[in-house]
Amino acid sequence: MKGMAVMTDTGMPEDPLLSIQQQLISSGMREYEAKIYVTIFSRGILTAFEIHEFSGVPRGRVYDVLNILEQKGFITRSWEKPVYYTAEPVEKVSLRLVKETLNNLERMTNCLNELQDVCYPLESKIVGVHEFQTDLAIDTQIRMELKRSCKEVLILCFDARILERYADDIKEAAKRIPVYVVVKDKEMAKFSPIKCYMVKRGTPMTTMEMPLSSRKQRLPVLAQFYYDRQGTIAILEHQGQKICLGLVNNVSVFVAQSILQNIERVEPEE
């Protein structure tokens, strides 16, 4: 008759089952899991061979997928031979999924909070500024920026430990592009892995300070890296712990230009 939907041998329209199957896949089920689950749910009690025939899932994969669905609580089996499989009631499956989702959400939240505590122990993140509080993150950012820079690097250093820590990375960068290491005095010049500079006489280079948080707490700057006159990374220290602040703005261009116009080569003290 005209207007009648094409029916499967279960008496249900075929398209809705395929649509539901696709939705299950979109929701996280694997393709074979969705095919077998929809097959069992729509057709009732079936053997593994019958499931293979109706679902189109390769016979060699059927048992593995059935075990997964059973472990997840979507289906159950009989223990006689031959083994028959049937779908669990929707209400039972839904309650279990909700419980699992809530438990997973709680675990994920706990992990995120723990990650926050490990990576930002000082709880001082500044809005709009990339902040790093672990040696792993700081080392990665400094070393990667030295590798990424393609035009010029300016390092304004107030602490010899920074030059010692990144000596190899600075030397590698200096092989490709101009790298200007500006130190605060001749004593520090001996720690520079490459030729270094000081600001010209009459231009004081005092230890800088930067705000750590909205509480306006100011900390001494150990060093500042200016990359390609586009971005800045500043290394600060708070109670023996280093903090790294990264910022990309036009101010970096002005600062770098001003410093480079007022430096002169310096030889380390013997």
Side-chain angles (χ1 to χ4, degrees), residues 96-108:
R96 182 186 55 77
L97 288 175
V98 169
K99 183 177 179 181
E100 283 187 1
T101 300
L102 291 175
N103 289 337
N104 288 336
L105 181 60
E106 183 178 3
R107 283 195 295 269
M108 178 64 74

Side-chain angles (χ1 to χ4, degrees), residues 121-263:
L122 300 180
E123 300 181 356
S124 61
K125 252 179 124 11
I126 303 173
V127 176
V129 176
H130 297 293
E131 184 176 338
F132 312 97
Q133 297 183 1
T134 64
D135 287 343
L136 175 62
I138 294 171
D139 288 347
T140 300
Q141 294 305 307
I142 296 295
R143 287 172 175 145
M144 288 303 98
E145 288 296 351
L146 284 169
K147 286 185 177 181
R148 293 174 188 144
S149 297
C150 56
K151 296 179 181 178
E152 169 191 275
V153 174
L154 167 63
I155 304 171
L156 201 59
C157 189
F158 299 93
D159 193 303
R161 292 175 297 171
I162 302 301
L163 296 176
E164 292 179 306
R165 190 176 187 91
Y166 302 110
D168 292 341
D169 306 281
I170 293 171
K171 284 190 289 187
E172 285 301 312
K175 294 177 182 178
R176 302 182 295 104
I177 56 175
V179 178
Y180 301 93
V181 176
V182 182
V183 296
K184 69 175 184 178
D185 53 40
K186 289 187 177 181
E187 175 67 22
M188 190 179 296
K190 65 184 180 183
F191 295 98
S192 178
I194 60 175
K195 64 182 180 181
C196 62
Y197 303 82
M198 288 179 58
V199 294
K200 294 178 180 178
R201 293 180 181 179
T203 307
M205 183 175 168
T206 56
T207 301
M208 299 174 63
E209 292 184 340
M210 293 185 68
L212 174 64
S213 67
S214 57
R215 294 171 295 184
K216 298 184 179 180
Q217 180 183 9
R218 301 185 70 83
L219 300 179
V221 176
L222 303 183
Q224 279 189 280
F225 292 72
Y226 296 86
Y227 299 102
D228 293 336
R229 303 193 186 189
Q230 294 179 353
T232 307
I233 288 184
I235 303 178
L236 294 70
E237 190 169 39
H238 177 63
Q239 297 178 352
Q241 180 174 336
K242 294 183 182 64
I243 304 166
C244 181
L245 304 179
L247 184 64
V248 178
N249 59 24
N250 293 329
V251 176
S252 299
V253 177
F254 173 76
V255 173
Q257 287 176 341
S258 300
I259 294 173
L260 290 174
Q261 290 171 1
N262 291 281
I263 59 173

Side-chain angles (χ1 to χ4, degrees), residues 101-117:
T101 300
L102 291 175
N103 289 337
N104 288 336
L105 181 60
E106 183 178 3
R107 283 195 295 269
M108 178 64 74
T109 301
N110 291 337
C111 287
L112 292 175
N113 288 332
E114 186 176 350
L115 183 62
Q116 172 78 13
D117 293 340

